Amino acid sequence: MESLVLDYTLAMDDALGEKQGVSRYILEALRIPLQDARDHLLARRREGTLAWTELPRKDVRGVLEYAERVQGRFENLVVLGIGGSALGTTALATALLHPYHNLLPASGRAQRPRLFVLDNVDPDQTQDLFSHLDVRKTLVNVVSKSGTTAETMAAYLIMRDLLEDQVGRGRLAEHLVFTTDPEGGVLRKIGRAEGIQMFDIPAGVGGRFSVLSPVGLLPAALVGIDVERLLAGARFMDEWITETDLVYNPAYVYAALQFLEHTRYHRDIAVMMPYSARLRDVADWFRQLWAESLGKAVDRRGRTVHAGTTPVKALGATDQHSQVQLYAEGPDDKFFTFIKVGEFGYDLTIPDAHPGAEELSYLAGQSMGGLLNAEQRATAWALARRGRPSVTIELPRVDEAGLGQLLYLFEAATAVMGELYDIDAFDQPGVELGKQATYALMGRPGFEELATEIRAEVPERTPYRIERK
Amino acid sequence: MESLVLDYTLAMDDALGEKQGVSRYILEALRIPLQDARDHLLARRREGTLAWTELPRKDVRGVLEYAERVQGRFENLVVLGIGGSALGTTALATALLHPYHNLLPASGRAQRPRLFVLDNVDPDQTQDLFSHLDVRKTLVNVVSKSGTTAETMAAYLIMRDLLEDQVGRGRLAEHLVFTTDPEGGVLRKIGRAEGIQMFDIPAGVGGRFSVLSPVGLLPAALVGIDVERLLAGARFMDEWITETDLVYNPAYVYAALQFLEHTRYHRDIAVMMPYSARLRDVADWFRQLWAESLGKAVDRRGRTVHAGTTPVKALGATDQHSQVQLYAEGPDDKFFTFIKVGEFGYDLTIPDAHPGAEELSYLAGQSMGGLLNAEQRATAWALARRGRPSVTIELPRVDEAGLGQLLYLFEAATAVMGELYDIDAFDQPGVELGKQATYALMGRPGFEELATEIRAEVPERTPYRIERK
């Protein structure tokens, strides 16, 4: 398997100067904390408390057999999930399916279903989707670890009603497949009672680390993505990270740089900017992984730290015409991760359609992929010229093997970051209050007091409200 | 026309406490700089050097007539543009078209074309789009002010070749429409020579302020958006902003808060989080407007300032399961703008499909829109509880009149911010170096020295490159 490349030349002082670039010595000084991080993570692996690291070696026959069994039966696959139950699937689909997959005729999709990931509770979007689909030809994959996620369950209840109406109670189960906790939760209960096909989210695998579990693999297999090759890519990366010395270890070097940029150089925004339209939703998936894992108020010893850098997704070359002005001239508070692709699926040659036009002649005969990669290099260089650091990850090509490497690299680097910050990278206590407030405002029994409190604190009429009469 | 509402209760000290919230006195202290900003902007308007403020009152008959003339003739509309030549169109389309517009049969689209905005030079995406389309049924709108934008022109040259091949040289012009500078540039020259229909980007209107010019209006009219109503919304907002005292003026109050949050409270990230799937690309459009206008190295007196906050787009409720953990517990470096919708196009009632399941019973009988808006309120409240400030913009509904108000409000607030920072909000000098570097790497004559310099500074082989052999 051809490996990805991590190039951090433009993060170093050789390129950026002493003040803005990282020196070898500073990097070397992180060796002890990095070694501690590694020892701790390897110990947790041995204990079996890092369940996501086991995913690349899990048996996926169940997923493959189910996908084969229903192959050709459905025109549409609707995934109902939010956050980690949706972002990995979307990242895989955008990267590995035809960009206009849903517009292709069935033959152009090898009889695979169209894919709709509904990850919100927007009534307009939901209504427009559900009324557009022929639900009799639709398979609905409900993805929720707890089985109680308000957004997912609201959409499920509406969809279920529609299905019952159209296909009848008796055939309902054929149109549903649940991905949920192996034991608990209301989805598991419903699934058992009604004989619905179910897949497990293995115990200890949180949503944002679940893309290589049935959460991501089932929809991927259903639309024809080679999930075994994806896992092979992840295994390849896992071996690399496990076997290699820190200095040549992409997860540890990447985490070390991110950590230094934040804590030593006070760059608190982590921009992820792939130069590939196919990878744009990998940046969105990364955004959750990074933000939810590292954005923590207290460390493991209970000290208030407010850790975490803010992930920002961008897209090259598009965002050169939107964000690069700020990146170049605004505050020096960003560390850039570029992703570039070695070999595109196609390459297009730009024709010399206007031989008279001098302003265009430099483009004639060049490849479009060459232009895109030149723009990446030019942008990284121009930022470095202003002392702004970046790393570039070079993916040989956008395929299953490459994606497996890339996603697993980011998961591993995030876990290392958690160790360096000394925080728990695998919980999310900060979302609880908002959830309870939603329950309160929705009138869920037991939350009446909180509802009163919120209504008093966020009154409907305040002096700080302006409108035009 | 029903106005939007700006509610900034949760930015104030009443809600957040003295340390984290803005007091009336601090806001009042900004009155003089705000009045100066207003005087200056009004003076520039009178001079005619704020051309974007004139757009809501421009005659758009040309656009409407053209749209009517070609109505029904094309199956596809392809917009080739990048940055400000694409983001406004995408924002309008996402907000105002059926979310699955391109999947609908022609009858479901009222015979309007499908819309494809190609805003990158990704060869895979370009090839997959161009090979998917029947170019004989395709209208191509090339949008570039200068007429030399590398990405747009590369796509145009490839598309032109394809068109010439499929429809013949003689009928080429019928399939092309250019939106470009009224005088200069190579697109104007080609258009004149070949009799191609052209629309003007008025002099002085920069890309990021061009959504209400033919840049955004032409594609909008072609797909059936009511552009007159859109302009009416913008005019309504323009009058509100021009006529109203600072204290009740949404653009000045919004800018004042953004400015204070940055300069006094050191919150340097501006999160834009609509609770409406339809508005997600408004957040993306805003991202360019804000970043490119305000991210500036020097102020108008030439002092180094590195101004600008970093805009981040998010989407409610989706990103509650991705970003809110960081927003709540990570660094207190963000100011949130929520957008909520008063009335949805549809509202769906959540059925009581599992009467036995207590965990779900609070959802039964509720509306999905009610759930979404409860989540917005809950999230804003939970963030305020942690001292994190927000404003909420309430849009009566997602329609042309509302969009016109919203887009124009953000444009005006951005201009006010430019005054408060004392920078030029209408240039973008920071992207020049990267453009030249691209020319150099693409071998454009005249850039040979720069190419040598870049190749020396970013060598192909460096010690800071790791891969697995």
Side-chain angles (χ1 to χ4, degrees):
Chain A
M1 188 174 292
E2 201 178 336
S3 97
L4 58 74
V5 178
L6 179 75
D7 188 326
Y8 56 105
T9 308
L10 295 183
M12 301 300 288
D13 55 359
D14 299 5
L16 302 183
E18 215 180 314
K19 239 181 90 186
Q20 287 167 290
V22 173
S23 74
R24 286 179 200 232
Y25 309 102
I26 292 173
L27 209 49
E28 185 60 32
L30 261 193
R31 183 177 269 278
I32 291 168
L34 282 171
Q35 192 58 55
D36 286 350
R38 188 177 168 99
D39 293 346
H40 188 227
L41 290 172
L42 288 173
R44 287 195 61 178
R45 261 180 99 132
R46 282 189 302 267
E47 283 163 19
T49 58
L50 277 187
W52 59 271
T53 62
E54 296 162 21
L55 295 174
R57 286 174 193 82
K58 281 259 186 213
D59 186 348
V60 291
R61 268 175 303 179
V63 162
L64 294 175
E65 280 164 20
Y66 176 79
E68 189 161 334
R69 206 166 77 227
V70 301
Q71 159 71 356
R73 281 195 47 205
F74 296 103
E75 172 76 17
N76 310 300
L77 168 63
V78 173
V79 175
L80 304 179
I82 194 165
S85 299
L87 291 162
T89 297
T90 300
L92 292 175
T94 305
L96 300 170
L97 296 185
H98 189 290
Y100 302 97
H101 177 84
N102 282 0
L103 285 174
L104 299 177
S107 61
R109 290 181 264 118
Q111 314 300 323
R112 300 289 182 172
R114 303 186 298 173
L115 173 66
F116 301 91
V117 178
L118 191 72
D119 63 349
N120 209 344
V121 282
D122 185 298
D124 290 344
Q125 185 189 30
T126 306
Q127 164 68 15
D128 283 336
L129 176 60
F130 290 1
S131 67
H132 170 69
L133 298 175
D134 182 348
V135 296
R136 291 165 307 178
K137 297 180 184 163
T138 298
L139 177 65
V140 181
N141 181 201
V142 186
V143 187
S144 167
K145 174 130 186 168
S146 67
T148 57
T149 315
E151 297 86 353
T152 305
M153 296 314 282
Y156 158 69
L157 292 169
I158 291 170
M159 189 43 148
R160 182 187 166 96
D161 214 41
L162 211 62
L163 272 171
E164 206 168 319
D165 188 54
Q166 300 267 318
V167 307
R169 183 83 189 222
R171 310 201 59 176
L172 197 55
E174 294 168 33
H175 290 264
L176 291 169
V177 51
F178 293 167
T179 309
T180 188
D181 188 83
E183 299 299 331
V186 65
L187 261 189
R188 177 65 55 178
K189 238 186 287 176
I190 297 168
R192 274 193 192 129
E194 303 191 1
I196 290 164
Q197 172 79 47
M198 292 189 278
F199 289 94
D200 298 349
I201 306 179
V205 173
R208 57 190 179 272
F209 286 87
S210 71
V211 57
L212 301 175
S213 81
V215 170
L217 298 182
L218 177 65
L222 288 166
V223 295
I225 289 170
D226 184 346
V227 301
E228 289 179 302
R229 191 80 188 137
L230 185 71
L231 293 178
R235 279 196 303 276
F236 176 91
M237 181 56 70
D238 185 54
E239 282 161 21
W240 184 3
I241 289 170
T242 314
E243 293 166 7
T244 311
D245 181 65
L246 292 175
V247 180
Y248 301 102
N249 193 311
Y252 286 85
V253 170
Y254 184 67
L257 291 167
Q258 286 276 10
F259 185 73
L260 284 174
E261 291 295 346
H262 183 204
T263 56
R264 191 177 169 108
Y265 298 92
H266 308 294
R267 294 180 174 120
D268 50 15
I269 295 175
V271 176
M272 174 72 60
M273 188 168 181
Y275 272 69
S276 158
R278 289 183 171 272
L279 296 177
R280 65 176 184 273
D281 290 325
V282 168
D284 204 28
W285 167 86
F286 171 79
R287 200 168 148 259
Q288 185 210 16
L289 177 71
W290 198 257
E292 218 167 57
S293 299
L294 306 177
K296 296 291 154 71
V298 294
D299 71 6
R300 284 192 287 221
R301 303 189 219 175
R303 293 175 302 197
T304 299
V305 289
H306 297 302
T309 57
T310 297
V312 165
K313 65 172 170 167
L315 178 64
T318 304
D319 279 323
Q320 290 177 199
H321 296 262
S322 167
Q323 300 304 297
V324 166
Q325 167 66 35
L326 172 74
Y327 295 170
E329 292 206 344
D332 180 11
D333 57 359
K334 298 174 185 73
F335 177 50
F336 300 91
T337 301
F338 294 111
I339 311 177
K340 79 194 273 185
V341 173
E343 192 185 311
F344 292 92
Y346 304 92
D347 214 348
L348 295 166
T349 302
I350 304 169
D352 193 8
H354 298 289
E358 262 193 78
E359 302 94 320
L360 304 179
S361 60
Y362 74 100
L363 290 170
Q366 306 258 20
S367 83
M368 190 179 255
L371 173 59
L372 187 58
N373 282 338
E375 298 212 40
Q376 188 275 325
R377 200 171 168 196
T379 301
W381 173 82
L383 289 172
R385 195 31 100 80
R386 290 182 158 93
R388 283 141 202 242
S390 64
V391 300
T392 298
I393 295 171
E394 299 172 19
L395 206 61
R397 52 199 81 68
V398 180
D399 58 7
E400 280 87 346
L403 260 283
Q405 290 185 48
L406 190 64
L407 299 177
Y408 197 83
L409 168 64
F410 288 136
E411 290 181 342
T414 302
V416 176
M417 284 293 278
E419 296 302 313
L420 294 174
Y421 283 125
D422 195 19
I423 54 164
D424 185 341
F426 305 105
D427 65 355
Q428 52 281 336
V431 299
E432 206 40 52
L433 189 61
K435 269 190 203 172
Q436 290 176 6
T438 300
Y439 293 149
L441 293 173
M442 294 295 284
R444 187 170 174 172
F447 295 87
E448 295 79 2
E449 257 181 63
L450 186 58
T452 312
E453 200 177 321
I454 297 169
R455 294 213 166 84
E457 290 180 22
V458 196
E460 298 281 354
R461 313 231 145 267
T462 89
Y464 308 116
R465 228 179 120 78
I466 52 186
E467 65 195 293
R468 192 166 213 219
K469 308 286 182 190
Chain B
M1 188 174 293
E2 200 178 336
S3 97
L4 59 74
V5 178
L6 179 74
D7 187 327
Y8 57 105
T9 308
L10 296 184
M12 301 301 288
D13 55 358
D14 300 5
L16 302 183
E18 215 180 314
K19 240 180 90 185
Q20 288 167 289
V22 174
S23 76
R24 286 178 200 232
Y25 309 102
I26 292 173
L27 209 48
E28 186 57 33
L30 262 193
R31 184 176 268 278
I32 292 168
L34 282 172
Q35 193 56 56
D36 286 350
R38 189 177 165 100
D39 292 345
H40 189 227
L41 290 172
L42 288 174
R44 286 194 62 177
R45 261 180 100 132
R46 282 189 301 268
E47 286 162 18
T49 58
L50 277 186
W52 60 271
T53 62
E54 296 162 21
L55 295 174
R57 285 173 196 83
K58 282 259 183 211
D59 186 349
V60 292
R61 268 175 302 180
V63 161
L64 294 175
E65 280 163 18
Y66 176 79
E68 189 161 335
R69 205 166 77 228
V70 303
Q71 159 71 356
R73 281 195 46 207
F74 297 103
E75 172 76 18
N76 310 300
L77 169 63
V78 173
V79 175
L80 303 179
I82 193 165
S85 298
L87 290 162
T89 297
T90 301
L92 293 175
T94 306
L96 301 171
L97 297 184
H98 189 290
Y100 303 97
H101 178 83
N102 282 0
L103 285 174
L104 299 177
S107 61
R109 291 181 263 117
Q111 315 300 324
R112 300 290 181 172
R114 303 186 297 173
L115 173 66
F116 301 91
V117 179
L118 191 71
D119 65 348
N120 209 344
V121 280
D122 184 300
D124 290 344
Q125 186 188 31
T126 307
Q127 163 69 15
D128 284 336
L129 176 61
F130 290 180
S131 66
H132 169 69
L133 298 176
D134 182 348
V135 295
R136 291 164 307 178
K137 297 181 184 162
T138 299
L139 177 66
V140 180
N141 181 202
V142 186
V143 187
S144 167
K145 175 128 186 166
S146 66
T148 56
T149 315
E151 297 85 354
T152 305
M153 296 315 282
Y156 158 69
L157 291 169
I158 290 170
M159 189 44 146
R160 183 187 165 95
D161 213 41
L162 211 63
L163 272 171
E164 205 168 319
D165 188 54
Q166 301 266 320
V167 306
R169 183 83 190 221
R171 312 201 58 178
L172 197 55
E174 295 168 32
H175 291 263
L176 291 168
V177 51
F178 293 167
T179 309
T180 188
D181 188 82
E183 298 299 332
V186 65
L187 261 188
R188 177 66 54 178
K189 237 185 289 176
I190 297 167
R192 275 193 191 131
E194 304 191 359
I196 291 164
Q197 172 77 48
M198 290 189 279
F199 290 93
D200 297 350
I201 306 178
V205 173
R208 57 189 180 271
F209 287 86
S210 71
V211 58
L212 301 176
S213 81
V215 170
L217 298 183
L218 178 65
L222 287 165
V223 295
I225 290 169
D226 183 346
V227 301
E228 289 178 303
R229 192 81 188 134
L230 185 71
L231 293 178
R235 279 197 302 276
F236 175 90
M237 181 55 69
D238 186 54
E239 283 160 20
W240 184 3
I241 289 170
T242 313
E243 294 165 9
T244 311
D245 181 66
L246 292 174
V247 180
Y248 301 101
N249 193 311
Y252 287 84
V253 169
Y254 184 67
L257 290 167
Q258 286 277 9
F259 185 73
L260 284 174
E261 290 295 347
H262 183 205
T263 56
R264 192 177 168 108
Y265 298 92
H266 309 294
R267 293 180 175 118
D268 50 14
I269 296 175
V271 177
M272 174 72 59
M273 189 167 180
Y275 272 69
S276 156
R278 288 183 173 273
L279 296 176
R280 65 178 184 275
D281 290 326
V282 168
D284 204 28
W285 168 86
F286 170 80
R287 199 168 149 257
Q288 185 211 16
L289 177 71
W290 198 256
E292 219 167 56
S293 300
L294 306 178
K296 296 291 154 70
V298 294
D299 71 7
R300 284 192 287 221
R301 306 190 218 174
R303 293 174 304 194
T304 298
V305 289
H306 297 302
T309 58
T310 297
V312 165
K313 64 170 169 168
L315 178 64
T318 305
D319 279 322
Q320 290 178 201
H321 296 262
S322 168
Q323 299 304 296
V324 167
Q325 166 66 36
L326 172 74
Y327 295 170
E329 292 206 345
D332 180 10
D333 57 0
K334 298 175 185 73
F335 178 50
F336 300 90
T337 301
F338 295 110
I339 310 177
K340 79 194 276 184
V341 173
E343 192 185 310
F344 292 93
Y346 303 92
D347 214 350
L348 296 166
T349 302
I350 303 169
D352 193 11
H354 298 287
E358 262 192 80
E359 302 95 318
L360 304 179
S361 59
Y362 76 100
L363 290 169
Q366 306 258 21
S367 82
M368 191 179 254
L371 173 59
L372 187 58
N373 281 339
E375 298 212 40
Q376 188 276 325
R377 199 170 169 200
T379 301
W381 173 82
L383 289 172
R385 193 35 98 81
R386 290 185 158 90
R388 283 140 202 243
S390 65
V391 299
T392 299
I393 296 171
E394 299 172 18
L395 206 61
R397 49 198 84 66
V398 181
D399 59 8
E400 280 86 347
L403 261 282
Q405 290 185 48
L406 190 64
L407 299 176
Y408 197 83
L409 169 63
F410 288 137
E411 290 181 343
T414 302
V416 177
M417 285 292 279
E419 295 303 313
L420 294 174
Y421 283 125
D422 196 20
I423 53 164
D424 185 340
F426 304 104
D427 66 353
Q428 52 282 334
V431 299
E432 207 37 53
L433 188 62
K435 269 191 204 171
Q436 289 176 6
T438 301
Y439 293 149
L441 293 173
M442 294 295 284
R444 187 168 175 174
F447 295 87
E448 295 78 3
E449 256 180 63
L450 187 58
T452 312
E453 201 177 318
I454 297 169
R455 294 212 167 85
E457 290 180 22
V458 197
E460 299 281 355
R461 312 231 145 268
T462 88
Y464 307 116
R465 227 180 120 78
I466 52 186
E467 65 194 295
R468 192 165 212 220
K469 307 288 183 187

